[in-house]
Amino acid sequence: MWAELALSFKQGNTYVLALFGIGFISAMIFFERFVMVQFVYNLNFDRFLLNIRRAIAAEDLDRAVSLCKNAGRTSLPLIALKALEAAESDPTTVRGAIEEETIHFLPRLEARLTLLPALATLAMMIGVLGTLEGIWSTFHSIDVLDSAKKQATIAKGLAGSLNPMAMGILISALTICAQQILRGYALRVIERVHLGVSVLNNLLVPSESTAFVPIAAAGMGGGMGGGTTGSMSGAGFGAGGANGGADSGKGAENASGATTNATPVVTASEDIKDEEEII
């Protein structure tokens, strides 16, 4: 197979040359992304965060800024530097500065990675198209040949026509593998960056202390207030009833006393009856 591919390349097969070009572009993207993700954006995150914690705990922001500048001008050191600058100027803007710089940085980790699957698919399609074109050329060329040469021509033409497909499958498989490797490295760096952002938020973002009354406590307070008010009202009504009863009792005693002490009234009919009895 390799000898056939080399022969097709020497003969200047258009499809094979196109596939070599796609393979070269894919290789350049892979090596560029590998260097950036593994050696530029990546660092010892645990050690960097430990040093930042110590500097901020000691309230030495100048040392923390120096650590960020020495660690690098991108990735988590750049995010930490922006957060420290915001903390020095206005602590209320720290969260916004961290989020803004994080959103600006994260897409760089996966830049151009989406091109690799597209190039893999394109290589496969070009290989299939080259194979079809080779088969058509082979069958068209045997029309003018003798019967003795047809068999050899068909065998040679079919073998040569499979070269673009083999080349396309090889480049497509390598490109997909490269894309998965780069994506794994990028995801690992993204996870470490998210961890660093959480640490920076905990260290630099001022805590929001807001006083509030829990709903359950508010309900209990309302219930206790209502119960107390009801008890007081009940007590008031009871006292009013007792006072009213006492006043009624006093009124009855006064009325009975007034009746007892009153002088009896003698009517005119009773006087006439007494006079008749005497007579």
Side-chain angles (χ1 to χ4, degrees):
M1 182 184 71
W2 302 108
E4 293 290 338
L5 289 175
L7 181 61
S8 299
F9 183 78
K10 289 180 180 179
Q11 291 176 353
N13 189 312
T14 305
Y15 297 98
V16 174
L17 293 177
L19 290 171
F20 268 106
I22 293 174
F24 178 77
I25 295 172
S26 301
M28 290 299 100
I29 293 175
F30 172 76
F31 286 114
E32 185 267 339
R33 287 287 86 198
F34 181 79
V35 171
M36 293 298 294
V37 173
Q38 195 66 12
F39 298 103
V40 177
Y41 299 144
N42 195 14
L43 69 150
N44 192 344
F45 289 97
D46 295 333
R47 182 178 179 183
F48 174 75
L49 291 175
L50 179 61
N51 293 331
I52 290 293
R53 280 195 183 98
R54 290 176 177 176
I56 295 176
E59 297 183 356
D60 190 358
L61 295 183
D62 293 334
R63 180 169 173 266
V65 170
S66 177
L67 287 172
C68 294
K69 292 180 178 180
N70 293 331
R73 292 288 183 175
T74 184
S75 186
L76 187 60
L78 180 60
I79 298 173
L81 180 61
K82 296 295 183 181
L84 291 170
E85 292 176 354
E88 290 180 349
S89 60
D90 186 5
T92 59
T93 62
V94 173
R95 186 184 300 274
I98 291 175
E99 292 179 355
E100 180 181 355
E101 195 60 35
T102 302
I103 293 172
H104 180 69
F105 166 71
L106 288 181
R108 300 180 190 175
L109 290 170
E110 295 185 351
R112 290 180 290 280
L113 289 184
T114 56
L115 293 176
L116 294 178
L119 291 174
T121 304
L122 181 62
M124 179 71 72
M125 295 298 103
I126 289 177
V128 173
L129 186 61
T131 298
L132 292 176
E133 197 272 339
I135 292 173
W136 285 337
S137 300
T138 300
F139 281 109
H140 282 299
S141 64
I142 62 175
D143 291 338
V144 295
L145 298 177
D146 298 335
S147 299
K149 296 181 180 180
K150 284 183 179 181
Q151 186 175 359
T153 303
I154 290 174
K156 185 177 180 180
L158 291 177
S161 64
L162 293 177
N163 292 332
M165 182 178 288
M167 188 72 180
I169 293 173
L170 179 62
I171 292 176
S172 178
L174 293 176
T175 303
I176 292 295
C177 290
Q179 191 263 345
Q180 292 298 321
I181 292 172
L182 291 176
R183 190 168 180 272
Y185 285 131
L187 288 178
R188 186 173 63 182
V189 175
I190 289 173
E191 290 175 357
R192 304 303 294 175
V193 170
H194 280 303
L195 174 62
V197 167
S198 300
V199 173
L200 293 174
N201 280 323
N202 294 331
L203 293 175
L204 297 176
V205 175
S207 59
E208 300 177 357
S209 57
T210 57
F212 67 96
V213 178
I215 296 175
M220 291 174 63
M224 292 174 64
T228 305
T229 305
S231 299
M232 293 175 64
S233 300
F237 284 122
N243 293 331
D247 293 339
S248 300
K250 289 180 180 179
E253 290 178 358
N254 294 331
S256 61
T259 305
T260 306
N261 297 326
T263 57
V265 179
V266 179
T267 62
S269 60
E270 291 178 351
D271 292 339
I272 294 170
K273 187 180 293 186
D274 293 336
E275 291 177 357
E276 290 178 353
E277 289 179 355
I278 293 171
I279 294 171

